[in-house]
């Protein structure tokens, strides 16, 4: 009994530490691969659910950050499939969550909604089309690549860019569902690989 | 009991010291570090044009031989930005609570309203004599740590925590003393006021395993923290087996305070340390001021007449008056050793100490530098009267180790101790004194804050 109490006493600070730092708002995707992706978000705890090592489900409009901790120049691909309550999705690249919130640096922004697709560099429109739209229940593959000063974006079979930009390459990709908050989007087959060491 | 408790507290301190060598250092425990990585790419093309004119005088247009060398260069710079966030809900160094109705009124500890106003004959001592007191018991906590508890789908304001140790001294007799090392606490706060200083009702369940086994169910009304200071009222039920293996079920009421005890609202865990709001001009663990007596040394005192002042947990809170320069402060303890006087049979010392002495003053910062002039009046009311007028020029030259020059006047009425730790340490007759001094102050683990860091002067993001 005394031994058990002794170990309970010693285990308490460790348990407190483990519980206190096991932030459910942070988790990993592709953790068994050579390019694991760190995910974090703010908002409702249940807004983001990890369904699979390569798949998450986002409900509502939280800001979800995917980060490749070991690369800033990488290519990433994912498949989006959202519900009817969602108006679209916005992906911010070449910026960080802190830069967006604190400094208003939006980087390169890809907005895909029911009216079309817009790619912006800050306030400068880089590309726009109304033939590629967000359509509920339609899976859409999005890929992008950051190398040096250039970013290429592929949506379905359409390729945009390369866009030359002055924004530094960062390890983060920020995903923001658009809408009034009632919709969900599933992002699957999320993969990344570095293009430069 | 106190000695035994101190030995028991040595265990967690030793464990934490060992852990401090690893990644679980105090900084790592209290701070979460985030990294943003960037790669900046710069492309540059240099064109070098070389003309080689043909020799000789030529009066007609003649094609020149020109060589263009274009050099393209791509440079990439990687940079990493680190941001630091608090990792804890509560981190406190010391909490003391005076407990009501934990024993018959004639068997009390006599620690007073906050449980820390102990008879100088018994302060820091292992022997406490029963005495008639309203606050019959005391509760002490050391090294409190609370971290967020993400359960029930992150139901807000839950926390899980522990402390290096806690002592329930329910009465003067040690037979009902309950001591816990690394007790496990789960708390839920209901915030009544979400601005600093926070006001919250806290429900807590605590489990102690060694050396006493106990369950502590408590509710408290908490005010704070502001400058690391807190006031708490407690109502609780302690179900325990004491250190002398006596079973007890003890309801209690209490009124407590704590120093160097910092509370973060959950939303503050997402705010960088640099952006945090501060309410104080300075907070520190210790401040030592060795001084030279300018006057008041007795004729036969040791020469040169050097004394010292030791302030434990000095805190100076800025008040929103006169550009926040009017300030009020408190120390946990304030110890003054003024002089030592040689006498035939037994030496005498000019010695005084105060428990939770109060200070008011005027803090004059010099711009945004870590340089400030503090003029203050301090009143100590327990265990004896002592007052001080002084001025200190603080210089934050080193991080966490500010120094200063202090000048002032201290008057102490003196007091008598016949036994106990203070008598053993002082080992002389204690005299009252009136001295003027000039000293050098050294703040240990002390932080001076700039005007722009005060919450009154900054917009919260």
């Amino acid at each position: 009994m005394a031994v058990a109490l002794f170990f309970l006493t010693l285990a308490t600070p460790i348990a407190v530490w483990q519980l206190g730092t096991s932030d459910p708002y942070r988790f990993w995707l592709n953790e068994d691969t050579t390019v694991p992706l760190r995910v974090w978000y703010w908002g409702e705890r249940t807004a983001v659910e990890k369904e699979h090592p390569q798949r998450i489900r986002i409900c509502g409009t939280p800001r979800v950050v995917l980060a490749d901790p070991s690369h800033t120049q990488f290519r990433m691909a994912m498949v989006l499939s959202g519900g009817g309550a969602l108006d679209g999705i916005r992906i911010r690249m070449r910026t960080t969550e802190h830069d967006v919130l604190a400094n208003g640096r939006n980087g390169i922004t890809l907005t895909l909604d029911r009216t079309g697709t817009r790619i912006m560099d800050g306030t400068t429109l880089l590309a726009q089309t109304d033939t590629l739209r967000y359509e509920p229940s339609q899976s859409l593959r999005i890929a992008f690549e950051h190398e040096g000063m250039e970013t290429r974006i592929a949506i379905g079979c359409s390729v945009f860019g390369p866009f030359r930009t002055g924004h530094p390459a960062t390890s983060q990709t920020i995903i923001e569902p658009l809408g009034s908050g009632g919709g969900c989007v599933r992002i699957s087959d999320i993969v990344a690989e570095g293009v430069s060491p | 009991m106190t000695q035994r408790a101190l030995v028991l507290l040595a265990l967690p301190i030793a464990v934490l010291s060992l852990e401090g060598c690893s990644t679980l250092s105090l900084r790592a425990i209290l701070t979460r570090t985030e990294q943003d990585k960037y790669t900046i790419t710069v492309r540059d093309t240099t064109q070098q044009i070389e003309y080689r004119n043909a020799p000789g005088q030529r009066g007609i247009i003649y094609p020149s031989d020109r060589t263009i060398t274009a050099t393209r260069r791509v440079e990439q710079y990687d940079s990493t930005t680190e941001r630091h966030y608090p990792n804890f809900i509560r981190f406190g160094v010391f909490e003391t609570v005076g407990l009501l109705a934990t024993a018959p009124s004639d068997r009390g500890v006599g620690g007073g309203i906050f449980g820390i106003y102990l008879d100088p004959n018994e302060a820091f001592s292992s022997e406490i004599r029963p005495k008639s007191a309203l606050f019959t018991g005391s509760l002490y906590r050391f090294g409190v740590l609370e971290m967020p508890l993400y359960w029930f789908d992150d139901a807000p304001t839950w926390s899980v925590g522990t402390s290096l140790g806690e002592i329930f001294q329910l009465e003067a007799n040690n037979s009902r003393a309950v001591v816990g090392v690394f007790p496990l606490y789960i708390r839920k706060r209901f915030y009544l006021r979400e601005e600093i200083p926070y006001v919250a009702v806290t429900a807590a369940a605590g489990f102690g395993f060694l050396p006493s086994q106990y369950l502590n169910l408590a509710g408290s009304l908490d005010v704070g923290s502001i400058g690391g200071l807190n006031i708490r009222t407690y109502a609780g039920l302690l179900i325990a087996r004491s250190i002398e293996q006596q079973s007890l079920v003890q309801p209690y009421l209490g009124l407590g305070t704590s120093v160097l005890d910092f509370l973060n609202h959950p939303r503050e865990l997402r705010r960088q340390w640099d952006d945090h709001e501060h309410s104080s001009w300075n907070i520190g663990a210790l401040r030592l001021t060795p001084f030279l007596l300018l006057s008041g040394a007795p004729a036969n005192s040791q020469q040169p007449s050097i004394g010292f002042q030791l302030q434990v947990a000095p805190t100076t809170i800025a008040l929103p008056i006169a550009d926040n320069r009017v300030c009020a402060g408190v120390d946990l303890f304030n110890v003054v050793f003024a002089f030592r006087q040689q006498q035939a049979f037994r030496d005498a010392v000019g010695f005084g100490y105060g428990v939770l002495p109060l200070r008011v003053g005027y803090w004059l910062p010099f711009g945004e530098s870590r340089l400030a002039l503090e003029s203050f009046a301090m009143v100590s009311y327990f265990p004896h009267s002592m007052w001080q007028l002084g001025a200190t020029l603080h210089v934050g030259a080193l991080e966490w180790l500010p120094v200063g020059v202090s000048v002032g006047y201290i008057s102490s009425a003196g007091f008598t101790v016949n036994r106990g730790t203070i008598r053993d340490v002082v080992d002389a007759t204690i005299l009252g004194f009136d001295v003027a001094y000039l000293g050098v102050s050294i703040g240990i683990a002390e932080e001076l804050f700039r005007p722009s860091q005060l919450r009154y002067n900054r917009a919260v993001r």
Side-chain angles (χ1 to χ4, degrees):
Chain A
M1 184 65 177
V3 173
L5 289 170
F6 179 77
F7 281 108
L8 273 175
T9 301
L10 287 185
T12 297
I14 298 167
V16 169
W17 172 254
Q18 290 295 329
L19 287 169
T21 56
S22 60
D23 189 344
Y25 294 90
R26 294 160 193 276
F27 56 88
W28 291 86
L29 293 175
N30 298 346
E31 57 261 61
D32 294 331
T33 70
T34 55
V35 188
L37 294 172
R38 193 172 181 224
V39 182
W40 69 88
Y41 63 100
W42 305 120
E44 292 287 324
R45 160 68 189 90
T46 54
V48 180
E49 184 183 354
K50 179 183 173 182
E51 296 182 329
H52 180 271
Q54 284 186 316
R55 185 170 69 230
I56 58 174
R57 182 168 178 265
I58 306 172
C59 290
T61 55
R63 177 179 287 120
V64 184
V65 182
L66 277 66
D68 176 353
S70 54
H71 298 98
T72 53
Q73 300 177 76
F74 58 91
R75 61 179 67 95
M76 180 182 281
M78 60 187 73
V79 177
L80 300 179
S81 174
L86 204 67
D87 289 343
I89 198 162
R90 178 176 294 134
I91 300 176
R92 299 182 195 273
M93 296 162 273
R94 287 184 176 265
T95 186
T96 66
E97 184 198 24
H98 182 260
D99 280 346
V100 172
L101 291 176
N103 306 320
R105 285 203 291 263
N106 290 320
I108 291 181
T109 307
L110 165 66
T111 305
L112 185 69
D113 58 21
R114 291 174 188 264
T115 62
T117 298
R118 288 177 301 284
I119 300 172
M120 312 274 289
D121 183 344
T123 56
T124 305
L125 183 66
L126 298 177
Q128 183 176 24
T129 177
D130 56 3
T131 56
L132 281 169
R133 300 178 182 179
Y134 169 76
E135 293 179 14
S137 304
Q138 290 285 324
S139 293
L140 195 61
R141 182 176 175 81
I142 295 179
F144 40 86
E145 178 184 287
H146 309 292
E147 184 175 18
M149 301 176 74
E150 293 177 348
T151 290
R152 296 175 179 82
I153 298 172
I155 304 170
C157 298
S158 303
V159 178
F160 299 89
F163 303 111
R164 181 174 286 196
T165 178
H167 295 295
T170 68
S171 57
Q172 298 182 17
T173 303
I174 303 170
I175 298 174
E176 299 170 357
L178 304 174
S180 57
C184 293
V185 60
R186 178 172 284 114
I187 303 177
S188 55
D189 296 333
I190 305 171
V191 290
E193 65 173 350
V195 297
S196 183
Chain B
M1 203 287 292
T2 306
Q3 287 174 341
R4 185 172 177 182
L6 289 174
V7 170
L8 291 169
L9 287 177
L11 170 66
I13 291 170
V15 170
L16 282 188
S17 300
L18 289 173
E19 288 176 338
C21 300
S22 67
T23 55
L24 276 180
S25 66
L26 189 61
R27 182 186 175 92
I29 289 172
L30 300 183
T31 298
R32 173 171 59 86
T33 301
E34 298 288 341
Q35 284 187 340
D36 286 346
K37 293 180 179 175
Y38 301 88
T39 298
I40 300 165
T41 304
V42 178
R43 284 187 179 179
D44 191 17
T45 302
T46 305
Q47 290 193 337
Q48 187 177 26
I49 305 173
E50 186 180 2
Y51 293 94
R52 290 188 209 151
N53 291 327
Q57 295 290 331
R58 299 180 185 275
I60 59 171
I61 295 173
Y62 194 83
S64 61
D65 183 8
R66 186 175 65 170
T67 305
I68 300 175
T69 307
T71 307
R72 284 192 173 180
R73 196 170 64 174
V74 176
E75 291 185 11
Q76 291 192 326
Y77 308 92
D78 289 339
S79 66
T80 302
T81 304
E82 284 196 343
R83 290 176 282 108
H84 305 287
Y85 298 84
N87 209 16
F88 61 91
I89 294 293
R90 181 185 169 200
F91 173 71
V93 172
F94 181 63
E95 179 180 8
T96 174
V97 183
L99 299 180
L100 284 162
T102 55
S105 61
D106 59 346
R107 285 170 30 200
V109 176
I113 186 170
F114 293 136
I116 199 171
Y117 298 111
L118 293 167
D119 184 336
N121 292 298
E122 297 172 347
F124 315 108
S125 301
S126 58
E127 293 183 7
I128 299 175
R129 293 180 179 175
K131 56 185 70 65
S132 180
L134 177 63
F135 286 85
T136 49
S138 298
L139 163 61
Y140 306 110
R141 285 199 178 100
F142 308 88
V144 181
L145 177 68
E146 282 183 48
M147 304 191 76
L149 180 58
Y150 304 100
W151 64 0
F152 305 133
D153 277 336
D154 189 31
T157 65
W158 283 92
S159 70
V160 58
T162 186
S163 59
L164 294 179
E166 63 180 5
I167 302 170
F168 292 84
Q169 184 82 37
L170 301 177
E171 60 182 54
N173 192 320
N174 289 337
S175 62
R176 297 177 69 235
V178 176
V179 179
V181 173
F182 288 142
L184 176 65
Y185 271 88
I186 294 173
R187 291 183 173 91
K188 166 75 176 174
R189 284 186 175 79
F190 302 91
Y191 282 90
L192 305 179
R193 176 186 156 89
E194 302 217 351
E195 304 293 327
I196 295 173
Y198 300 116
V199 179
V201 174
T202 304
F207 307 88
F209 306 112
L210 274 180
S212 307
Q213 296 80 51
Y214 60 91
L215 168 66
N216 178 29
L217 301 172
S220 63
L221 177 65
D222 309 341
V223 180
S225 69
I226 181 165
L229 303 175
N230 298 264
I231 299 286
R232 294 188 177 89
T233 58
Y234 281 96
L237 177 69
L238 181 67
I239 304 166
R241 183 182 293 270
S242 74
I243 55 172
E244 296 189 5
Q245 300 301 308
Q246 180 176 332
S247 297
L248 59 93
V249 177
Q250 180 64 59
Y252 63 85
L253 297 171
L255 181 61
T257 187
S258 58
V259 296
L260 297 175
D261 187 352
F262 305 96
L263 178 72
N264 283 317
H265 190 282
R267 69 168 181 268
E268 290 185 292
L269 302 187
R270 298 170 187 173
R271 188 180 298 164
Q272 289 187 68
W273 274 127
D274 291 343
D275 297 331
H276 264 242
E277 300 171 298
H278 300 284
S279 305
S280 301
W281 284 114
N282 81 302
I283 301 173
L286 290 173
R287 187 189 295 158
L288 179 65
T289 309
F291 56 71
L292 181 69
L293 290 187
L294 301 178
S295 71
N300 55 345
S301 64
Q302 287 183 335
Q303 296 296 330
S305 294
I306 295 174
F308 71 86
Q309 180 176 21
L310 177 65
Q311 295 168 265
V312 180
T315 303
T316 307
I317 296 174
L319 302 177
I321 304 170
D323 201 16
N324 313 310
R325 293 176 179 179
V326 176
C327 54
V330 68
D331 306 335
L332 179 58
F333 298 112
N334 180 17
V335 180
V336 178
F337 182 92
F339 55 80
R340 191 170 194 94
Q341 186 182 30
Q342 292 174 327
Q343 294 186 351
F345 296 103
R346 190 159 188 259
D347 286 358
V349 293
F351 176 80
Y353 85 96
V355 179
L356 297 175
L358 302 174
R359 268 182 290 118
V360 292
Y362 189 83
W363 188 282
L364 180 64
F366 293 98
E368 276 298 305
S369 63
R370 291 191 189 274
L371 180 70
L373 178 65
E374 178 192 15
S375 52
F376 63 91
M378 184 275 291
V379 175
S380 179
Y381 48 89
F382 186 90
H384 61 100
S385 66
M386 181 167 66
W387 58 269
Q388 179 179 10
L389 292 175
T392 303
L393 180 67
H394 298 279
V395 183
L398 296 173
E399 192 177 16
W400 299 105
L401 200 69
V403 294
V405 178
S406 187
V407 62
Y409 184 88
I410 308 175
S411 176
S412 170
F415 63 107
T416 304
V417 288
N418 301 314
R419 57 192 169 83
T421 304
I422 291 178
R423 184 184 182 281
D424 295 342
V425 170
V426 173
D427 193 23
T429 304
I430 294 173
L431 302 176
F433 56 87
D434 298 288
V435 297
Y437 68 91
L438 173 66
V440 176
S441 68
I442 304 163
I444 298 168
E446 182 174 340
E447 176 82 358
L448 303 179
F449 295 100
R450 300 186 184 98
S452 62
Q453 291 178 292
L454 295 184
R455 63 191 170 99
Y456 310 109
N457 294 338
R458 64 195 309 174
V460 180
R461 277 197 289 232

